[in-house]
Amino acid sequence: MTLATAVFLACLLGVSGLGFAAARWRRPASLDHLEEWGLGGRNFGAWITWFLIGGDFYTAYTVIAVPALVYATGAFGFFALPYATILYPIAYAVMPALWRQAAEFGAVTAADLARIRHGHAGLELAVAITGILATMPYIALQLVGMQAAIRALGIAGDWPLIAAFLILAIYTYSAGLRAPALIAIVKDVMIWLAVALALSLVPLRLGGYAHVFAAAAAGLKPGGLLLKPGQMLPYATLALGSALAAFFYPHTLTAVLAARSDETIRRNAIALPFYSAILGLIALLGYVAHAAALHPANANLVVPLLFTRYFSGGIAGFALAAIAIGALVPAAVMSIGAANLYTRNIHARLRPGLTPAAQARIARRASLVVKLGALMAIILLPTRYAIDLQLLGGVAILQTLPALVLGLLPHATPSGRVLLAGWAVGLATGIGLAWATALSPVIPIAGTGLYIGLVALAANAIVVASGRVALA
Amino acid sequence: MPPGLGETPAAPAPADPAPGRSRIDPLAAFYLGLPFVALLAVPLYDRRDPTLFGFPFFYWYQLAWVPLTSGLIYLAARRRA
């Protein structure tokens, strides 16, 4: 076994121990309640929420795929940064009110909120199914990030992935949201160190940023460092649409609802952009790879290759472990968010009268099923499917926005029936456009283009607005 | 529709889920709106010059808006007090 592999395994084992210990951390009287297992007792303060959302939203796939996109396409891949910036004014404006509503009525999921506010079982089911289906490919993509780290170590086969995921499944089962919350602290610090290491290459080995940009300009197609006029609108609409959807995914919403108070969320809207600054620097690793003259067979390997090429075995093993652990935190929270949706909004609606303990038991099992599904998908199906489904997932999550945001307004809101119609029309529009563009996120229009999710949301909003007028 | 779903009793909708919070503070809204204008008006910053520490304008402008946005949200939050 190489030193890199040994360090990698040691880091993963240490974190797994932490995951199992998490069941005892801030221990409640009993974990046999969904608010305890699935929301950590709704009691995470500002610091833990910061680490948890930071660990949950800035995923391993981000660390792998954003630099890969920047490496391959140049400026366009950078849309992740304005996306992760305007996200926070949105979060500040919406999430504290959503938290208050959830805390007041004991809501655990977005679909709970849809039921509470609009009193419509069909809308609740639509929100629940949207969340579950959008989350599954997202979990699968975390595995892609982990796979890239494992491949860079030179380990062949799927067994490390399977082993890591089995351990993850067991400690999530036992500790619930407390496990990823505790691991997120370690994961975030490890990622910062790894990014700092990679960035230290720029002045020490690669001649500074001016040289990095020059090398990228030479490596990309002419003009790749800037957007072409036709790319500007796709860039802006992708950033806006992604930012609108980001906090309505089950994993981000679960982390928000697990906060102790609305003030905790406000403070986090101020402090979380710190991670976005790091994301910007991570994105630039795509250009650093040009300066390092890396020519990976698969763009997803650019970041792992930077580590294995320039650093000693021990340090490379640590950095690759940071990426792998970076996959475990979001995968855990995603599976918990999806399990909460299944339990509260599908299972419990079919079998009314479930005790809280029964709900917690069902959610634990559901989290196992969700993770197993994602694991099988990544082992058995081409990665392309997960990426395409993840695109459709984002489009679908956007269609749940009207129901959740309009439900926060104090005055009369559209009826559940109208909101459900808007969701259906938006989803059909989004899927239709995705089919028309052969699963590209951007539909070309008049020499430029628009993010299809935003077009679908507009269709949704038109239905909701006109339905409201028609029924008034 | 699966059995049970049709007869699900709806929880009562809150008459006013956020009493007294529907007022919008124009200055706070301005602070929160500024990052959207700055980052979605792409032609404003899709240029190379001036460069800063080797970064083309396109890159350092967008990176600079991360702490600026954080500061603006802070200012909006202070308006609540």
Side-chain angles (χ1 to χ4, degrees):
Chain A
M1 189 192 296
T2 65
L3 181 60
T5 309
V7 171
F8 180 89
L9 289 179
C11 288
L12 255 72
L13 278 177
V15 155
S16 303
L18 207 58
F20 286 111
R24 298 163 189 274
W25 176 53
R26 299 157 71 98
R27 187 178 207 158
S30 156
L31 266 173
D32 289 333
H33 194 295
L34 201 56
E35 287 215 17
E36 290 298 341
W37 183 85
L39 281 186
R42 222 188 282 268
N43 197 25
F44 290 149
W47 278 102
I48 294 168
T49 302
W50 189 69
F51 279 113
L52 179 59
I53 298 180
D56 179 29
F57 177 65
Y58 301 85
T59 66
Y61 186 65
T62 314
V63 177
I64 294 293
V66 172
L69 192 64
V70 170
Y71 171 85
T73 68
F76 194 75
F78 219 63
F79 86 87
L81 185 60
Y83 151 31
T85 307
I86 58 176
L87 166 65
Y88 291 107
I90 299 172
Y92 175 88
V94 176
M95 289 300 145
L98 212 62
W99 183 92
R100 277 197 303 275
Q101 206 176 60
E104 187 180 347
F105 294 98
V108 176
T109 66
D112 280 352
L113 287 168
R115 178 189 69 239
I116 288 161
R117 194 62 183 90
H118 305 293
H120 194 285
L123 186 65
E124 175 188 7
L125 189 65
V127 173
I129 290 175
T130 305
I132 293 168
L133 292 183
T135 302
M136 297 277 292
Y138 217 153
I139 300 175
L141 287 185
Q142 300 314 313
L143 290 163
V144 173
M146 201 165 184
Q147 240 172 0
I150 293 169
R151 292 235 169 101
L153 284 170
I155 303 171
D158 288 321
W159 65 266
L161 204 62
I162 296 170
F165 235 51
L166 281 180
I167 296 170
L168 168 75
I170 297 168
Y171 65 62
T172 310
Y173 181 93
S174 82
L177 195 62
R178 284 177 171 80
L182 199 55
I183 293 172
I185 299 172
V186 178
K187 172 249 164 180
D188 290 354
V189 174
M190 284 180 77
I191 289 275
W192 299 336
L193 289 172
V195 171
L197 279 171
L199 292 175
S200 74
L201 289 173
V202 175
L204 297 179
R205 305 285 295 272
L206 298 170
Y209 269 106
H211 179 251
V212 165
F213 280 106
L220 291 161
K221 277 178 240 154
L225 281 190
L226 294 177
L227 297 171
K228 293 169 195 64
Q231 286 182 309
M232 291 186 196
L233 201 54
Y235 188 87
T237 52
L238 261 173
L240 178 63
S242 310
L244 284 171
F247 269 102
F248 291 92
Y249 273 94
H251 61 294
T252 37
L253 198 64
T254 296
V256 165
L257 297 187
R260 182 180 297 158
S261 69
D262 50 353
E263 186 57 27
T264 302
I265 298 163
R266 264 185 232 103
R267 285 189 196 172
N268 266 280
I270 298 168
L272 276 167
F274 171 79
Y275 285 94
S276 297
I278 293 182
L279 172 68
L281 298 174
I282 290 173
L284 287 176
L285 293 179
Y287 290 166
V288 172
H290 278 291
L294 295 182
H295 299 289
N298 175 348
N300 276 348
L301 289 173
V302 292
V303 171
L305 278 181
L306 271 179
F307 289 117
T308 51
R309 157 96 57 106
Y310 284 99
F311 292 102
S312 68
I315 294 176
F318 172 86
L320 294 172
I323 296 173
I325 293 165
L328 297 179
V329 172
V333 187
M334 286 168 190
S335 71
I336 290 169
N340 287 347
L341 280 170
Y342 170 75
T343 306
R344 298 275 295 195
N345 310 111
I346 297 177
H347 198 110
R349 308 307 276 160
L350 297 174
R351 293 178 191 280
L354 282 181
T355 63
Q359 286 193 10
R361 194 173 59 241
I362 290 160
R364 287 174 158 182
R365 287 181 196 157
S367 82
L368 292 181
V369 173
V370 167
K371 277 196 281 277
L372 216 63
L375 184 64
M376 304 260 284
I378 232 41
I379 291 175
L380 301 176
L381 300 173
T383 307
R384 188 73 243 163
Y385 291 178
I387 295 171
D388 291 343
L389 288 172
Q390 147 74 357
L391 164 73
L392 291 175
V395 173
I397 287 287
L398 270 174
Q399 307 318 317
T400 64
L401 240 70
L404 296 170
V405 175
L406 293 177
L408 294 172
L409 299 178
H411 37 80
T413 59
S415 72
R417 210 151 47 94
V418 169
L419 289 164
L420 182 61
W423 171 87
V425 168
L427 199 58
T429 307
I431 292 171
L433 288 172
W435 182 75
T437 60
L439 292 167
S440 149
V442 174
I443 175 115
I445 295 171
T448 178
L450 293 168
Y451 171 42
I452 57 176
L454 221 49
V455 178
L457 181 60
N460 182 338
I462 289 169
V463 170
V464 170
S466 54
R468 203 174 169 187
V469 171
L471 295 178
Chain B
M1 188 174 282
L5 267 179
E7 65 232 44
T8 303
D16 186 351
R21 288 189 198 274
S22 53
R23 292 160 294 144
I24 289 175
D25 172 5
L27 193 56
F30 172 75
Y31 290 147
L32 296 177
L34 219 50
F36 290 85
V37 179
L39 289 168
L40 296 180
V42 184
L44 213 66
Y45 60 84
D46 190 27
R47 61 189 73 228
R48 200 175 73 90
D49 295 312
T51 60
L52 183 69
F53 307 121
F55 283 63
F57 186 71
F58 180 80
Y59 297 91
W60 70 256
Y61 173 88
Q62 292 184 80
L63 280 167
W65 268 98
V66 176
L68 283 175
T69 300
S70 172
L72 286 166
I73 300 173
Y74 172 75
L75 289 177
R78 271 186 35 151
R79 297 279 303 165
R80 293 174 50 84

